[in-house]
Protein backbone atom coordinates (compact mmCIF):
# COMPACT_ATOMS: atom_id res chain seq x y z
CA UNK A 1 0.00 0.00 0.00
CA UNK A 2 1.48 3.34 -1.02
CA UNK A 3 0.81 6.42 1.11
CA UNK A 4 2.83 9.20 -0.39
CA UNK A 5 3.73 9.99 -4.00
CA UNK A 6 5.91 12.58 -5.71
CA UNK A 7 5.49 14.05 -9.19
CA UNK A 8 7.89 15.70 -11.63
CA UNK A 9 8.09 16.79 -15.27
CA UNK A 10 11.28 16.03 -17.21
CA UNK A 11 12.88 16.57 -20.62
CA UNK A 12 11.16 18.73 -23.24
CA UNK A 13 8.01 20.50 -22.06
CA UNK A 14 4.66 20.05 -23.74
CA UNK A 15 1.29 21.81 -23.50
CA UNK A 16 -1.01 19.70 -21.31
CA UNK A 17 1.65 18.75 -18.76
CA UNK A 18 -0.12 21.03 -16.26
CA UNK A 19 -3.42 19.26 -16.83
CA UNK A 20 -1.64 15.94 -16.17
CA UNK A 21 -0.08 17.29 -12.96
CA UNK A 22 -3.51 18.48 -11.83
CA UNK A 23 -5.07 15.09 -12.58
CA UNK A 24 -2.38 13.19 -10.66
CA UNK A 25 -2.56 15.49 -7.63
CA UNK A 26 -6.36 15.56 -7.48
CA UNK A 27 -6.75 11.81 -8.02
CA UNK A 28 -4.13 11.09 -5.37
CA UNK A 29 -5.71 13.46 -2.84
CA UNK A 30 -9.14 11.98 -3.58
CA UNK A 31 -7.72 8.57 -2.68
CA UNK A 32 -6.18 9.77 0.57
CA UNK A 33 -2.58 9.87 -0.65
CA UNK A 34 -0.10 12.59 0.26
CA UNK A 35 1.57 14.34 -2.68
CA UNK A 36 4.84 16.18 -3.09
CA UNK A 37 5.89 18.16 -6.16
CA UNK A 38 9.47 18.08 -7.42
CA UNK A 39 10.74 21.15 -9.27
CA UNK A 40 13.03 20.93 -12.33
CA UNK A 41 12.79 17.23 -13.07
CA UNK A 42 15.50 14.79 -11.99
CA UNK A 43 17.92 17.72 -11.55
CA UNK A 44 15.64 19.23 -8.90
CA UNK A 45 15.10 15.83 -7.30
CA UNK A 46 18.80 15.25 -6.60
CA UNK A 47 18.91 18.83 -5.31
CA UNK A 48 16.07 18.17 -2.86
CA UNK A 49 13.66 20.65 -4.48
CA UNK A 50 10.49 19.09 -3.09
CA UNK A 51 7.35 20.73 -1.74
CA UNK A 52 4.02 19.59 -0.37
CA UNK A 53 1.03 19.77 -2.72
CA UNK A 54 -2.71 19.70 -2.06
CA UNK A 55 -5.74 20.07 -4.29
CA UNK A 56 -5.35 23.87 -4.28
CA UNK A 57 -1.74 23.68 -5.48
CA UNK A 58 -3.09 22.81 -8.91
CA UNK A 59 -5.94 25.32 -9.08
CA UNK A 60 -6.13 27.32 -12.29
CA UNK A 61 -3.46 25.44 -14.21
CA UNK A 62 -5.60 23.10 -16.33
CA UNK A 63 -5.62 25.55 -19.26
CA UNK A 64 -2.03 26.77 -19.00
CA UNK A 65 0.85 25.81 -21.28
CA UNK A 66 4.27 24.89 -19.93
CA UNK A 67 4.70 23.09 -16.64
CA UNK A 68 4.23 24.62 -13.19
CA UNK A 69 6.86 22.17 -11.91
CA UNK A 70 9.38 23.41 -14.48
CA UNK A 71 11.49 20.90 -16.34
CA UNK A 72 15.17 20.20 -16.92
CA UNK A 73 17.60 17.80 -18.44
CA UNK A 74 19.96 16.05 -16.07
CA UNK A 75 22.80 14.14 -17.72
CA UNK A 76 24.15 12.98 -14.32
CA UNK A 77 21.03 10.89 -13.85
CA UNK A 78 22.63 8.28 -16.12
CA UNK A 79 25.05 7.69 -13.27
CA UNK A 80 23.93 5.06 -10.73
CA UNK A 81 25.33 6.94 -7.70
CA UNK A 82 23.34 10.01 -8.65
CA UNK A 83 20.17 7.95 -8.96
CA UNK A 84 20.89 6.43 -5.53
CA UNK A 85 21.03 9.95 -4.15
CA UNK A 86 17.61 10.63 -5.68
CA UNK A 87 16.23 7.43 -4.13
CA UNK A 88 17.67 8.43 -0.73
CA UNK A 89 15.99 11.83 -0.91
CA UNK A 90 12.63 10.26 -1.79
CA UNK A 91 13.08 7.82 1.11
CA UNK A 92 13.93 10.67 3.49
CA UNK A 93 10.54 12.20 2.71
CA UNK A 94 8.77 8.85 3.08
CA UNK A 95 7.80 8.84 -0.60
CA UNK A 96 6.87 5.38 -1.93
CA UNK A 97 6.18 6.22 -5.56
CA UNK A 98 7.11 8.71 -8.27
CA UNK A 99 5.12 9.91 -11.28
CA UNK A 100 7.34 11.07 -14.16
CA UNK A 101 5.81 13.09 -16.98
CA UNK A 102 8.15 13.20 -19.99
CA UNK A 103 9.45 11.31 -22.99
CA UNK A 104 11.50 8.15 -23.55
CA UNK A 105 14.63 9.52 -21.83
CA UNK A 106 12.64 10.39 -18.74
CA UNK A 107 11.00 6.97 -18.76
CA UNK A 108 14.43 5.30 -18.82
CA UNK A 109 15.41 7.40 -15.80
CA UNK A 110 12.18 6.40 -14.03
CA UNK A 111 12.76 2.74 -14.83
CA UNK A 112 16.29 2.79 -13.42
CA UNK A 113 15.11 4.63 -10.32
CA UNK A 114 12.43 2.01 -9.76
CA UNK A 115 15.21 -0.60 -9.39
CA UNK A 116 16.33 1.28 -6.28
CA UNK A 117 13.06 0.62 -4.47
CA UNK A 118 10.84 3.55 -5.51
CA UNK A 119 7.73 2.61 -7.46
CA UNK A 120 7.59 4.62 -10.68
CA UNK A 121 5.08 5.30 -13.42
CA UNK A 122 5.56 7.37 -16.60
CA UNK A 123 3.04 9.62 -18.35
CA UNK A 124 3.86 10.47 -22.02
CA UNK A 125 4.36 14.23 -22.29
CA UNK A 126 6.04 15.33 -25.52
CA UNK A 127 4.84 17.22 -28.59
CA UNK A 128 6.78 14.82 -30.85
CA UNK A 129 4.37 11.85 -30.59
CA UNK A 130 7.47 9.66 -30.83
CA UNK A 131 6.49 6.97 -28.32
CA UNK A 132 5.38 3.88 -30.19
CA UNK A 133 3.40 2.18 -27.39
CA UNK A 134 0.81 4.97 -27.29
CA UNK A 135 -1.29 6.37 -30.15
CA UNK A 136 -0.87 9.92 -28.84
CA UNK A 137 1.31 11.81 -26.40
CA UNK A 138 0.27 14.86 -24.37
CA UNK A 139 1.07 18.05 -26.29
CA UNK A 140 1.00 16.59 -29.79
CA UNK A 141 -2.48 17.85 -30.61
CA UNK A 142 -1.72 21.36 -29.36
CA UNK A 143 1.52 21.49 -31.37
CA UNK A 144 -0.41 20.37 -34.46
CA UNK A 145 -2.84 23.23 -34.03
CA UNK A 146 0.02 25.70 -33.61
CA UNK A 147 1.72 24.43 -36.78
CA UNK A 148 -1.58 24.41 -38.64
CA UNK A 149 -2.18 28.04 -37.73
CA UNK A 150 1.35 28.94 -38.90
CA UNK A 151 0.85 27.08 -42.21
CA UNK A 152 -2.37 28.99 -42.85
CA UNK A 153 -0.67 32.31 -42.20
CA UNK A 154 2.27 31.41 -44.40
CA UNK A 155 -0.08 30.29 -47.13
CA UNK A 156 -1.69 33.75 -47.22
CA UNK A 157 1.61 35.47 -47.81
CA UNK A 158 2.94 32.73 -50.13
CA UNK A 159 -0.13 33.10 -52.30
CA UNK A 160 0.15 36.88 -52.45
CA UNK A 161 3.74 36.63 -53.64
CA UNK A 162 3.38 33.32 -55.52
CA UNK A 163 6.19 31.89 -53.49
CA UNK A 164 7.19 28.47 -52.33
CA UNK A 165 7.20 28.18 -48.55
CA UNK A 166 9.31 25.60 -46.72
CA UNK A 167 8.19 25.16 -43.10
CA UNK A 168 10.41 23.23 -40.72
CA UNK A 169 8.59 21.61 -37.82
CA UNK A 170 9.73 19.70 -34.72
CA UNK A 171 9.49 15.98 -34.03
CA UNK A 172 13.11 14.81 -33.73
CA UNK A 173 13.21 11.43 -35.54
CA UNK A 174 9.42 11.28 -35.78
CA UNK A 175 7.50 12.72 -38.73
CA UNK A 176 4.06 12.78 -37.10
CA UNK A 177 3.89 16.57 -36.58
CA UNK A 178 4.86 17.13 -40.22
CA UNK A 179 2.43 14.47 -41.46
CA UNK A 180 -0.70 15.51 -39.53
CA UNK A 181 -0.15 19.28 -39.71
CA UNK A 182 0.93 18.99 -43.35
CA UNK A 183 -2.22 17.08 -44.25
CA UNK A 184 -4.43 19.51 -42.34
CA UNK A 185 -2.64 22.46 -43.92
CA UNK A 186 -3.01 21.08 -47.46
CA UNK A 187 0.75 20.98 -47.95
CA UNK A 188 2.02 20.12 -51.43
CA UNK A 189 5.01 18.34 -49.93
CA UNK A 190 5.49 16.52 -46.61
CA UNK A 191 9.03 15.41 -45.89
CA UNK A 192 9.53 13.04 -42.96
CA UNK A 193 12.42 10.87 -41.71
CA UNK A 194 10.35 7.70 -42.12
CA UNK A 195 10.03 8.12 -45.89
CA UNK A 196 12.64 8.31 -48.58
CA UNK A 197 12.91 11.92 -49.77
CA UNK A 198 12.93 12.17 -53.55
CA UNK A 199 14.18 15.70 -54.32
CA UNK A 200 13.44 15.42 -58.03
CA UNK A 201 9.88 14.34 -57.38
CA UNK A 202 9.43 17.38 -55.13
CA UNK A 203 10.66 19.72 -57.88
CA UNK A 204 8.28 18.07 -60.36
CA UNK A 205 5.36 18.47 -57.91
CA UNK A 206 6.16 22.14 -57.41
CA UNK A 207 6.50 22.89 -61.14
CA UNK A 208 3.43 20.81 -62.06
CA UNK A 209 1.48 22.73 -59.44
CA UNK A 210 2.56 26.03 -60.92
CA UNK A 211 1.62 24.87 -64.43
CA UNK A 212 -1.84 23.82 -63.28
CA UNK A 213 -2.50 27.18 -61.68
CA UNK A 214 -1.44 26.69 -58.04
CA UNK A 215 -0.71 30.06 -56.46
CA UNK A 216 1.54 28.73 -53.74
CA UNK A 217 3.45 25.69 -52.62
CA UNK A 218 3.67 24.69 -48.99
CA UNK A 219 6.39 22.20 -48.16
CA UNK A 220 6.41 20.88 -44.58
CA UNK A 221 9.76 19.50 -43.49
CA UNK A 222 10.33 17.47 -40.31
CA UNK A 223 13.47 18.61 -38.48
CA UNK A 224 14.88 15.06 -38.47
CA UNK A 225 15.42 15.19 -42.25
CA UNK A 226 17.56 18.30 -42.53
CA UNK A 227 17.50 22.08 -42.59
CA UNK A 228 14.78 24.25 -44.14
CA UNK A 229 17.25 26.86 -45.43
CA UNK A 230 19.21 24.32 -47.49
CA UNK A 231 16.03 22.85 -48.92
CA UNK A 232 14.67 26.32 -49.80
CA UNK A 233 17.90 27.19 -51.68
CA UNK A 234 17.77 23.89 -53.53
CA UNK A 235 14.15 24.44 -54.59
CA UNK A 236 14.80 28.02 -55.66
CA UNK A 237 17.93 27.10 -57.64
CA UNK A 238 16.32 24.26 -59.55
CA UNK A 239 12.75 25.53 -60.01
CA UNK A 240 13.54 29.22 -60.38
CA UNK A 241 10.65 30.01 -58.02
CA UNK A 242 11.18 32.33 -55.10
CA UNK A 243 11.32 30.16 -51.99
CA UNK A 244 11.33 31.15 -48.31
CA UNK A 245 12.18 29.01 -45.30
CA UNK A 246 10.48 29.35 -41.92
CA UNK A 247 11.70 27.42 -38.90
CA UNK A 248 8.84 27.32 -36.42
CA UNK A 249 11.05 26.30 -33.48
CA UNK A 250 9.95 26.60 -29.88
CA UNK A 251 6.59 28.26 -30.51
CA UNK A 252 5.47 24.67 -31.14
CA UNK A 253 6.08 23.84 -27.47
CA UNK A 254 3.98 26.67 -26.04
CA UNK A 255 0.38 27.78 -25.82
CA UNK A 256 -2.73 26.67 -24.01
CA UNK A 257 -3.43 22.97 -24.50
CA UNK A 258 -6.29 21.94 -26.77
CA UNK A 259 -9.32 20.17 -25.35
CA UNK A 260 -7.98 16.89 -26.76
CA UNK A 261 -4.71 17.32 -24.89
CA UNK A 262 -6.43 18.32 -21.65
CA UNK A 263 -8.77 15.34 -21.78
CA UNK A 264 -5.91 12.98 -22.64
CA UNK A 265 -3.74 14.41 -19.84
CA UNK A 266 -6.59 14.07 -17.34
CA UNK A 267 -7.27 10.46 -18.29
CA UNK A 268 -3.59 9.50 -18.22
CA UNK A 269 -2.97 11.29 -14.90
CA UNK A 270 -5.88 9.49 -13.27
CA UNK A 271 -4.67 6.16 -14.65
CA UNK A 272 -1.12 6.71 -13.36
CA UNK A 273 -2.39 7.03 -9.79
CA UNK A 274 -4.62 3.98 -10.23
CA UNK A 275 -1.62 1.93 -11.43
CA UNK A 276 0.50 2.98 -8.43
CA UNK A 277 -2.35 2.22 -6.02
CA UNK A 278 -2.50 -1.32 -7.39
CA UNK A 279 1.09 -1.71 -6.17
CA UNK A 280 2.61 -1.75 -9.66
CA UNK A 281 5.95 -0.25 -10.63
CA UNK A 282 8.03 0.50 -13.73
CA UNK A 283 4.91 1.09 -15.84
CA UNK A 284 3.90 3.69 -18.37
CA UNK A 285 0.37 4.78 -19.21
CA UNK A 286 -0.88 5.50 -22.70
CA UNK A 287 -3.83 5.43 -25.07
CA UNK A 288 -4.57 2.79 -27.69
CA UNK A 289 -7.77 2.72 -29.76
CA UNK A 290 -9.16 5.29 -27.31
CA UNK A 291 -8.62 2.97 -24.33
CA UNK A 292 -6.29 4.08 -21.56
CA UNK A 293 -3.72 1.35 -21.01
CA UNK A 294 -0.63 0.70 -18.92
CA UNK A 295 2.41 -1.31 -19.87
CA UNK A 296 5.86 -2.30 -18.59
CA UNK A 297 8.37 0.51 -19.35
CA UNK A 298 10.91 -1.75 -21.08
CA UNK A 299 8.27 -3.41 -23.24
CA UNK A 300 6.80 -0.03 -24.14
CA UNK A 301 10.16 1.44 -25.12
CA UNK A 302 11.12 -1.66 -27.13
CA UNK A 303 8.09 -1.31 -29.42
CA UNK A 304 8.87 -0.32 -32.98
CA UNK A 305 7.29 2.85 -34.21
CA UNK A 306 4.54 2.54 -36.75
CA UNK A 307 4.43 5.39 -39.24
CA UNK A 308 1.01 5.88 -40.83
CA UNK A 309 1.94 5.16 -44.46
CA UNK A 310 -1.69 5.24 -45.49
CA UNK A 311 -2.22 8.75 -44.14
CA UNK A 312 0.98 9.84 -45.86
CA UNK A 313 -0.32 8.54 -49.22
CA UNK A 314 -3.71 10.19 -48.68
CA UNK A 315 -2.02 13.52 -47.92
CA UNK A 316 -0.07 13.23 -51.17
CA UNK A 317 -3.13 12.45 -53.28
CA UNK A 318 -5.28 15.17 -51.74
CA UNK A 319 -2.74 17.90 -52.35
CA UNK A 320 -2.28 17.16 -56.06
P1 LIG B 1 12.67 13.13 -22.92
O1 LIG B 1 12.23 12.57 -21.61
O2 LIG B 1 11.75 14.20 -23.41
O3 LIG B 1 12.94 12.04 -23.92
P2 LIG B 1 15.53 13.45 -22.53
O4 LIG B 1 15.88 12.35 -23.43
O5 LIG B 1 16.33 14.69 -22.53
O6 LIG B 1 14.03 13.94 -22.70
O7 LIG B 1 15.56 12.86 -21.05
C1 LIG B 1 15.20 13.64 -19.94
C2 LIG B 1 16.03 13.27 -18.75
O8 LIG B 1 15.82 11.89 -18.42
C3 LIG B 1 17.52 13.37 -18.97
O9 LIG B 1 18.01 14.69 -18.83
C4 LIG B 1 18.01 12.47 -17.84
O10 LIG B 1 17.92 13.12 -16.59
C5 LIG B 1 16.99 11.34 -17.87
N1 LIG B 1 17.51 10.24 -18.70
C6 LIG B 1 17.53 10.15 -20.05
N2 LIG B 1 18.13 9.03 -20.46
C7 LIG B 1 18.54 8.39 -19.34
C8 LIG B 1 19.26 7.17 -19.10
N3 LIG B 1 19.68 6.39 -20.09
N4 LIG B 1 19.49 6.83 -17.81
C9 LIG B 1 19.06 7.62 -16.80
N5 LIG B 1 18.41 8.77 -16.97
C10 LIG B 1 18.14 9.17 -18.21
Amino acid sequence: MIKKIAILTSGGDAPGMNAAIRAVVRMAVYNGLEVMGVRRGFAGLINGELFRMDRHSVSDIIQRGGTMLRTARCEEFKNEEVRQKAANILQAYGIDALVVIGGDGSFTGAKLLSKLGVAAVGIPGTIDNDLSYTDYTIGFDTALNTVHDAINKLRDTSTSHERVSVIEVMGRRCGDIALYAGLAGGAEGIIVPEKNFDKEELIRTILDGKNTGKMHNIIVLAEGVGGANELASFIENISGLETRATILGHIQRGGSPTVNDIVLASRLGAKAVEVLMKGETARVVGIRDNQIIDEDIDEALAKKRNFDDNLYEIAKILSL
Side-chain angles (χ1 to χ4, degrees):
M1 271 295 285
I2 58 160
K3 290 203 180 72
K4 193 169 183 179
I5 68 167
I7 178 167
L8 59 79
T9 48
S10 165
D13 65 336
M17 279 185 162
N18 276 327
I21 295 167
R22 171 181 177 271
V24 169
V25 171
R26 295 261 165 103
M27 187 55 79
V29 169
Y30 174 81
N31 284 291
L33 300 176
E34 284 182 72
V35 188
M36 294 202 78
V38 181
R39 287 200 182 86
R40 298 176 46 249
F42 292 127
L45 178 57
I46 56 181
N47 241 349
E49 296 176 46
L50 284 79
F51 66 103
R52 195 167 286 282
M53 294 182 90
D54 60 25
R55 57 178 302 109
H56 301 297
S57 315
V58 290
S59 298
D60 254 339
I61 63 165
I62 188 167
Q63 79 288 15
R64 288 188 212 284
T67 159
M68 68 166 296
L69 294 175
R70 317 272 170 82
T71 184
R73 307 219 192 251
C74 175
E75 267 304 301
E76 311 98 277
F77 213 69
K78 292 181 179 163
N79 178 336
E80 163 104 41
E81 287 157 38
V82 173
R83 290 196 300 274
Q84 186 59 57
K85 193 174 165 199
N88 294 346
I89 287 175
L90 290 168
Q91 247 159 23
Y93 278 99
I95 292 163
D96 328 280
L98 178 67
V99 177
V100 172
I101 307 175
D104 54 354
S106 304
F107 289 172
T108 304
K111 158 81 196 185
L112 294 171
L113 190 59
S114 75
K115 291 194 169 148
L116 302 174
V118 186
V121 63
I123 299 179
T126 163
I127 64 164
D128 298 340
N129 210 38
D130 59 351
L131 296 165
S132 30
Y133 78 93
T134 182
D135 292 344
Y136 300 107
T137 57
I138 298 167
F140 175 59
D141 188 61
T142 307
L144 289 182
N145 281 279
T146 301
V147 174
H148 183 233
D149 183 51
I151 292 175
N152 288 338
K153 287 175 172 156
L154 287 163
R155 178 188 291 107
D156 287 346
T157 168
S158 291
T159 306
S160 307
H161 290 272
E162 297 174 67
R163 274 180 191 144
V164 180
S165 192
V166 176
I167 306 165
E168 183 183 314
V169 302
M170 284 184 165
R172 296 194 286 185
R173 297 298 306 157
C174 176
D176 279 12
I177 293 181
L179 172 62
Y180 283 73
L183 168 62
E188 280 73 20
I190 297 174
I191 304 164
V192 293
E194 293 89 344
K195 288 281 173 188
N196 187 34
F197 171 33
D198 184 340
K199 282 184 167 180
E200 277 67 40
E201 186 192 0
L202 180 68
I203 297 291
R204 285 197 303 275
T205 305
I206 291 170
L207 290 175
D208 286 351
K210 184 177 183 278
N211 293 331
T212 55
K214 271 193 194 270
M215 305 291 282
H216 57 73
N217 265 290
I218 302 285
I219 313 299
V220 178
L221 170 71
E223 65 182 352
V225 181
N229 287 311
E230 294 75 21
L231 180 61
S233 306
F234 170 79
I235 293 170
E236 188 163 295
N237 287 340
I238 307 287
S239 72
L241 297 171
E242 193 181 0
T243 306
R244 293 287 163 92
T246 306
I247 299 167
L248 294 184
H250 279 86
I251 64 163
Q252 296 165 89
R253 293 256 190 96
S256 293
T258 58
V259 170
N260 269 334
D261 271 332
I262 294 175
V263 172
L264 177 63
S266 302
R267 293 174 78 189
L268 293 176
K271 179 71 172 185
V273 174
E274 188 192 302
V275 167
L276 289 176
M277 288 183 66
K278 277 199 291 188
E280 309 233 34
T281 183
R283 310 285 291 178
V284 282
V285 294
I287 185 164
R288 256 184 245 146
D289 300 328
N290 205 25
Q291 298 298 310
I292 300 297
I293 53 105
D294 67 292
E295 187 167 15
D296 174 75
I297 292 183
D298 284 336
E299 282 171 26
L301 293 182
K303 285 212 156 77
K304 240 181 85 63
R305 260 189 47 75
N306 251 342
F307 185 72
D308 195 336
D309 292 320
N310 188 41
L311 198 61
Y312 179 79
E313 291 309 321
I314 290 172
K316 256 192 182 175
I317 292 166
L318 299 186
S319 70
L320 283 178

